[in-house]
Amino acid sequence: MNLETKWLEDFVALANSRSFSASARQRHVTQPAFSRRIRSLEQAVGVTLVDRSTTPVTLTPEGQLFLVTARNLVEQLNECLGHLRGLSMAREALDIVAAHSLALSFYPPWISRLQEGLGELPTRLVAMNVGEAIHVLREGNCDLMLAYHDPYATMQLDPEVFPSFSIGQVKMVPVSLPGPDGAPRFSLDSESPIPYLAYTQGAFLGRSVRMLLKNDPLRLRLRTVYETAMAEGLKGMVLQGVGLAWIPDFCIREELNSGRLVRAGDEKWDVPLEIRLYRCSLVHKPGVEKLWRQMMKLPRDFLEA
């Protein structure tokens, strides 16, 4: 039997409130996500636990019997974890998911600066691709999402349900390893085929570059020799002299300043990007509500890295 602890906690909350909507608010998830978790618990146990035909909902005879076990397990587990980790005295950490490049290069200086205005802010950060991050946010399995703003609305996030803060204006820059004379080894001004290090088809940053090149004959001279979804992966290949790539400027600041990398084209080839912090307005977790109110009072220079 494959059970998740959160399903047991969901079931206990539902047994107490007899309301899917009230239990979802208590568990800090959206109601559809909460309903799916109860269904998953029933599938794992192999019986129907909740009679959904009544209002308020009631437990089936099997559900009433299982409730005793669920409560005991949840109470024992919480007591054990509280003893081992001292959770009763620890501040609640915020769970944040972020695009890989943002997690590695943008998040550390940004969160440090934000804490100058807010004080200590415990967080847990998980890096993942944008599609996965959106799914986690929709399901209520994270508190905040750090991602690039999508001007073409392909992420399909309703701004009323998923409000956001703009926390940075950055750009992607075409870069190359320098040659012996300091000029780019691979240049967008070249009339010859150019070895191109590209983002994979589903990567958000790759879509932004493709929009830039969509109607420009330059794309016909770019010969793709390597693909990856991560900006850091492209950066590593550029440093090996394999080709040129578009990389967010905050990922390559040190390399540009030291001359280890140089621009492969002028500013007309830059791709502007906006970075935003998202939340789900249907989830009312106290720590998130407090952070959101505090951020609304901060001046822009504290919000933007």
Side-chain angles (χ1 to χ4, degrees), residues 146-162:
L146 188 63
Y148 300 104
H149 172 56
D150 179 10
Y152 307 106
T154 52
M155 291 199 303
Q156 297 181 343
L157 285 176
D158 183 344
E160 294 295 322
V161 180
F162 300 98

Side-chain angles (χ1 to χ4, degrees), residues 15-36:
N16 290 337
S17 72
R18 303 301 172 98
S19 166
F20 276 88
S21 58
S23 298
R25 288 193 298 271
Q26 179 187 341
R27 297 289 292 144
H28 308 301
V29 297
T30 61
Q31 185 171 336
F34 182 85
S35 297
R36 284 192 290 273

Side-chain angles (χ1 to χ4, degrees), residues 119-134:
E120 183 178 310
L121 186 63
T123 58
R124 285 185 292 265
L125 181 70
V126 178
M128 58 183 66
N129 66 48
V130 175
E132 291 174 330
I134 292 172

